[in-house]
Amino acid sequence: MFSYRCVLSLVVAMAAVFAVVSSGADSTEAGVTNTATPIIARLKLGESRDPLFDMHGNANQDLQSLMVLRFSATNDVMHGIDRMEDESRLAWVRAALFGVLGFVKDPASIEWLSEKRRSDVENFYRDYLPTWKGRLDGFGGWEWLTGRDRWIAFWLEALHEERSPNRRIGLLCVLSQFDDASVVSFFSARRVEATDPKEVLLVEGYLDAHGLPANGERVAWAVGALRRSPKNNDFLISMAHGLRHEAFVPFLVGVSDKSERYSYPPYYAAERDLQAITFECNLHGKAAWESWYAAHGKEGRTGWTRSAIDTFRTELAQSPKEAAQRFDKLVYCWNEIALLPFVEDELAPHAEFHSAIAGWINLTYSDFDRERLRPLAERIGADGHIEDWSRRLLQERGYVSGQRKDTWAEAVERANSRL
């Protein structure tokens, strides 16, 4: 799940355009011929960004056709990018083609990309790198990616050579989506070597997601260093979303009344993080949070967790049915893997909870935690009385039979069907 934790504020713009599904197969879909050259020629006729995407970030039909062609279009797309290098009026088309490469993820493009990373630095980091930061669950069990060892080596080499702190953060965000042993070892080594506070939080968050508890002192130091400047607020809020450490709470209380830009109705991301860290899922408003923190701040996350679970146990003992109805709402706040033992041992024995538990699994899921969740998911899936929507969630995660796998063409269509 760490990729979801990784700097959402730096990902939003391009992730909205090219996120969710990428390709890694070695052949094109049946019946699709290689028509990349005329497609690119048509794209060049447009003189602005507008024809390339709709308001939701879905690629237009020509771009989707290039995505469907997958690896067979790679050379034409790379050549198209090269030929447009000095045509400023086609900058948006060139950026879109970088996005197609990022969507498809053909290992054959690595050598060319290595050259672009050094010679076309701005476009590489602006147009290509963000297309790798849209996988909310990570690349651990993702079926489409091929050449993963080569890709990991590519990103590690880029990080080794990069000196810009901001670009290094972007590269770490990509690497944090892999759970391969080589990447875990890399992040373990960075725990000792990292000195930039943003990098410290990324490293501690990644390791925490992989069973190596975050170093509280380093987290507190990094949060303290970053909160001095408002320009770091979005970064801190995005990190707090996943690395649910008590060191974030004073900062989050201070910005809990700030809504996300352009959100309607207003969305208070810092408050949502506070709810998830403290388990105070129904607390709203800065004044209420300040009052709560004055009374309970010193209890720490261990105390907050124990209090929330003890309260719920009392409700469960009084009325399992009513407790199940409340848990159905709490899953949006309690969606973290640390609660797995409680859900398994104390909630799963009650059939009333099974449908809501399927929702909890879906919200808590990451490729990194896939196997940890499997016994509970299969146990719930064996219940013949769970609701249809909850069974579908388990099917979509691959825990229950009945899921039909998309073809690549269908995967492209799904990825470009945002509303």
Side-chain angles (χ1 to χ4, degrees):
M1 183 171 174
F2 186 70
S3 61
Y4 188 75
R5 306 175 180 194
C6 184
V7 204
L8 296 182
S9 60
L10 300 181
V11 176
V12 170
M14 287 301 294
V17 177
F18 297 113
V20 184
V21 183
S22 305
S23 168
D26 293 314
S27 62
T28 60
E29 295 291 337
V32 176
T33 58
N34 189 343
T35 56
T37 300
I39 293 173
I40 294 172
R42 286 198 300 271
L43 287 169
K44 290 177 67 174
L45 295 177
E47 295 186 1
S48 72
R49 180 184 184 181
D50 295 338
L52 301 178
F53 315 102
D54 68 15
M55 63 181 294
H56 303 292
N58 297 306
N60 73 4
Q61 193 56 56
D62 280 335
L63 291 175
Q64 290 185 46
S65 295
L66 288 176
M67 295 170 183
V68 171
L69 287 170
R70 296 159 71 171
F71 292 3
S72 66
T74 297
N75 284 333
D76 287 320
V77 172
M78 292 189 301
H79 292 156
I81 291 172
D82 287 336
R83 287 193 293 269
M84 296 180 206
E85 186 167 1
D86 297 321
E87 298 188 62
S88 58
R89 72 179 183 85
L90 296 176
W92 287 114
V93 178
R94 195 168 186 263
L97 293 180
F98 264 118
V100 170
L101 284 183
F103 191 98
V104 171
K105 295 178 173 55
D106 184 351
S109 64
I110 288 177
E111 183 177 353
W112 180 88
L113 287 164
S114 295
E115 188 276 328
K116 287 297 178 188
R117 179 174 59 78
R118 299 181 179 99
S119 66
D120 197 6
V121 179
E122 181 178 352
N123 290 307
F124 175 85
Y125 280 99
R126 184 190 63 210
D127 302 329
Y128 181 77
L129 181 140
T131 66
W132 277 77
K133 294 189 290 188
R135 283 283 303 169
L136 299 187
D137 298 328
F139 288 114
W142 187 50
E143 62 180 315
W144 293 110
L145 187 68
T146 62
R148 60 187 301 115
D149 289 342
R150 294 175 60 192
W151 283 116
I152 290 171
F154 169 76
W155 294 114
L156 285 173
E157 179 183 54
L159 187 67
H160 177 72
E161 296 180 4
E162 184 55 59
R163 293 294 173 263
S164 164
N166 287 336
R167 289 172 180 162
R168 286 180 61 84
I169 294 302
L171 293 166
L172 284 169
C173 283
V174 175
L175 282 166
S176 69
Q177 296 177 106
F178 292 92
D179 60 352
D180 303 65
S182 61
V183 181
V184 176
S185 295
F186 163 78
F187 275 94
S188 297
R190 291 307 300 169
R191 168 171 271 178
V192 177
E193 300 167 2
T195 57
D196 178 87
K198 289 186 178 180
E199 185 170 344
V200 166
L201 288 182
L202 286 171
V203 169
E204 294 300 327
Y206 180 91
L207 294 176
D208 190 71
H210 288 76
L212 300 171
N215 183 314
E217 291 184 0
R218 284 176 64 78
V219 172
W221 170 80
V223 172
L226 292 169
R227 66 178 295 190
R228 296 171 192 158
S229 174
K231 69 180 182 181
N232 296 320
N233 285 0
D234 287 345
F235 180 92
L236 285 170
I237 291 170
S238 69
M239 290 304 304
H241 183 89
L243 179 52
R244 298 176 180 179
H245 195 279
E246 60 194 63
F248 288 99
V249 171
F251 158 74
L252 292 171
V253 169
V255 298
S256 58
D257 58 341
K258 308 297 183 185
S259 63
E260 293 287 281
R261 187 184 303 178
Y262 308 126
S263 64
Y264 184 82
Y267 180 80
Y268 299 92
E271 182 169 276
R272 291 295 294 271
D273 289 350
L274 278 169
Q275 293 170 345
I277 294 172
T278 66
F279 298 100
E280 293 293 331
C281 302
N282 295 312
L283 199 60
H284 301 284
K286 187 175 182 179
W289 281 110
E290 289 174 335
S291 177
W292 175 88
Y293 189 67
H296 301 284
K298 293 182 180 180
E299 297 170 10
R301 195 157 198 244
T302 300
W304 305 331
T305 305
R306 182 173 57 249
S307 177
I309 290 178
D310 286 347
T311 298
F312 195 83
R313 282 182 179 134
T314 300
E315 297 176 4
L316 177 61
Q318 293 173 347
S319 173
K321 182 177 180 179
E322 291 183 8
Q325 291 174 347
R326 194 164 96 81
F327 184 71
D328 190 49
K329 306 294 188 299
L330 288 176
V331 294
Y332 298 97
C333 179
W334 286 23
N335 57 329
E336 64 173 280
I337 195 68
L339 293 177
L340 178 61
F342 171 69
V343 175
E344 283 184 315
D345 298 339
E346 302 190 43
L347 303 188
H350 301 273
E352 299 97 322
F353 283 85
H354 286 188
S355 290
I357 289 174
W360 179 84
I361 291 170
N362 184 60
L363 292 168
T364 304
Y365 178 90
S366 76
D367 283 349
F368 304 150
D369 295 317
R370 178 178 183 79
E371 296 310 312
R372 291 183 64 187
L373 289 166
R374 181 180 293 281
L376 176 62
E378 292 180 345
R379 176 181 174 186
I380 297 301
D383 182 353
H385 302 292
I386 61 173
E387 298 178 57
D388 289 343
W389 64 265
S390 57
R391 184 171 299 281
R392 284 196 299 272
L393 291 177
L394 296 177
Q395 289 173 340
E396 289 171 1
R397 293 299 187 187
Y399 290 126
V400 175
S401 62
Q403 180 189 21
R404 185 184 69 82
K405 291 186 177 181
D406 286 340
T407 65
W408 171 242
E410 290 170 333
V412 171
E413 181 180 7
R414 183 190 295 270
N416 288 284
S417 300
R418 304 174 192 87
L419 298 175

